[in-house]
Amino acid sequence: THWCNLSELRDLRAVTQAAGIWLALAGQLTEHCLSVIRDVRPDIIAVRGAVCEEGSRGNAVSESGVRRFADRIHEAYSVSARDVQDRPESGCAHA
């Protein structure tokens, strides 16, 4: 189920920033969602399956998976603002 599209997430981000409220993104987030995460810039990102062994929620959280996802987040945030476009992110179920 898609709760919000990218435009709605951006609007929500603007509202939360104006109100001084933190924004958290969660729910089936994967590395395919990195451009959405970068565009929305939430204060908190919650993942589970994306960092579990073999990418499955039924498996244990993997330290290497957490490190890899964190590295990818840092890489995504280092992309310059001119590279961020209004384009759907291929593979992300939330945009």
Side-chain angles (χ1 to χ4, degrees), residues 13-94:
R13 169 80 279 193
V15 170
T16 60
Q17 281 182 319
I21 299 170
W22 283 16
L23 176 66
L25 288 185
Q28 298 180 340
L29 298 177
T30 67
E31 290 183 24
H32 296 289
C33 297
L34 290 173
S35 72
V36 172
I37 293 168
R38 180 191 61 220
D39 288 356
V40 176
R41 295 201 176 265
D43 301 291
I44 300 168
I45 302 163
V47 295
R48 172 69 193 267
V51 298
C52 287
E53 294 174 359
E54 300 176 13
S56 174
R57 281 182 63 112
N59 294 332
V61 171
S62 161
E63 181 179 345
S64 64
V66 172
R67 289 182 191 279
R68 182 187 68 250
F69 199 89
D71 288 346
R72 294 291 314 276
I73 291 288
H74 290 289
E75 290 169 13
Y77 273 59
S78 70
V79 173
S80 68
R82 66 179 164 70
D83 293 330
V84 177
Q85 302 292 321
D86 270 348
R87 62 188 181 310
E89 172 62 24
S90 168
C92 183
H94 304 287

